[in-house]
Amino acid sequence: MSSSREVTGIEAHVAGATGRVVLRDPRDSGYGHVVERYVSTKRHGRPRYMELLGGRYLNPDRPPPRGFVRGIVEDAAAVTDEELDALLAYEWRSRYTAAWLIGVDRRARFRERLGELLLASEVCYAGGAYCFALARLGTRADAELLVAYLDRYLPRTDLRYDQPEALGALLRLDAGLGSSYAERFLVPDGLWDTWVGALPWLRDDPGFTPERQRWWSDLRCDFADGWTRP
């Protein structure tokens, strides 16, 4: 029987949290194999989660190793919903990888769970993968989850969380759906401008334009489209 445990201090830090966080170790629920099988597996010298996070596979001048791509596609199809649940209840590496597998395979069953995790923002890095997965699922329901996140976190100019990734994913969804969910965040001197402008050196940084965030989302999603069937 699985059990959750609240951790603090160094344990929370290792898990990717800045404060208290509730975790469920997969070993306590009979899924002790999932981290090694899906997260820390090594195909080309580095654990999978590091390859995904590092983004070297996105370099158009350096195609990713075929084994890396094949492994992601095969595991995204093979991982069970129960295994994904176990990964999403654990620390940031597991959550990050699980979200990628969900996005690659378009597991719509996890939409609401991803939205909850994104809004909670319990651990580092994983939020960007949740945004990728929601962009891949591609519906208005996914867009509304991203809107809820931006409504909560763009006013928080003191927090540098996953606002850029969420905006990029939302812009991609708008383009695909013919919608305008992102429009109200992008009015002059609106929430996006205020959030970026809270750090003066970001105001003119081309890396923090809406166009750049959409480009990053497109790059990841289009690359995943090349791995998988529509």
Side-chain angles (χ1 to χ4, degrees):
M1 184 174 180
S2 65
S3 60
S4 300
R5 186 168 65 93
E6 184 180 87
V7 299
T8 59
I10 188 63
E11 284 188 273
H13 177 73
V14 171
T18 56
R20 298 176 183 270
V21 63
V22 176
L23 304 178
R24 188 169 68 241
D25 192 318
R27 291 171 294 187
D28 295 336
S29 56
Y31 290 96
H33 65 283
V34 293
V35 174
E36 183 176 356
R37 172 71 175 82
Y38 298 109
V39 181
S40 59
T41 179
K42 295 181 180 180
R43 295 292 181 106
H44 296 278
R46 297 204 305 174
R48 172 179 285 162
Y49 76 88
M50 290 185 66
E51 290 287 351
L52 289 171
L53 184 64
R56 292 189 301 178
Y57 55 87
L58 296 172
N59 186 343
D61 299 322
R62 186 181 178 184
R66 293 180 63 184
F68 170 74
V69 174
R70 185 172 61 250
I72 291 287
V73 174
E74 290 175 352
D75 283 351
V79 64
T80 67
D81 286 352
E82 293 76 16
E83 288 173 322
L84 288 168
D85 280 329
L87 290 170
L88 289 172
Y90 201 32
E91 43 75 84
W92 75 266
R93 302 161 190 83
S94 298
R95 297 185 190 195
Y96 187 93
T97 307
W100 261 89
L101 296 174
I102 290 166
V104 169
D105 202 53
R106 290 193 171 102
R107 300 274 184 109
R109 171 193 176 279
F110 287 92
R111 173 179 290 114
E112 295 302 323
R113 179 68 173 138
L114 292 173
E116 292 169 359
L117 289 169
L118 179 62
L119 204 59
S121 292
E122 295 175 315
V123 298
C124 63
Y125 298 119
Y130 305 151
C131 293
F132 159 77
L134 293 172
R136 286 276 293 164
L137 293 177
T139 72
R140 289 181 178 271
D142 304 294
E144 288 165 5
L145 292 172
L146 292 164
V147 167
Y149 175 84
L150 291 169
D151 275 335
R152 176 175 294 186
Y153 286 102
L154 275 182
R156 292 297 305 272
T157 56
D158 58 318
L159 298 179
R160 303 285 126 173
Y161 282 4
D162 302 293
Q163 292 94 331
E165 290 87 349
L167 180 66
L170 187 59
L171 286 168
R172 179 178 176 86
L173 285 172
D174 273 344
L177 296 168
S179 55
S180 56
Y181 287 102
E183 188 174 284
R184 65 184 175 86
F185 299 114
L186 301 178
V187 297
D189 300 319
L191 284 173
W192 177 256
D193 283 351
T194 301
W195 184 81
V196 173
L199 294 180
W201 56 88
L202 293 184
R203 290 172 185 162
D204 298 315
D205 187 337
F208 280 84
T209 63
E211 294 77 16
R212 190 65 172 176
Q213 308 319 314
R214 163 75 191 278
W215 180 84
W216 276 114
S217 185
D218 285 345
L219 193 64
R220 290 181 171 87
C221 291
D222 290 347
F223 191 67
D225 285 343
W227 301 351
T228 56
R229 292 173 295 180

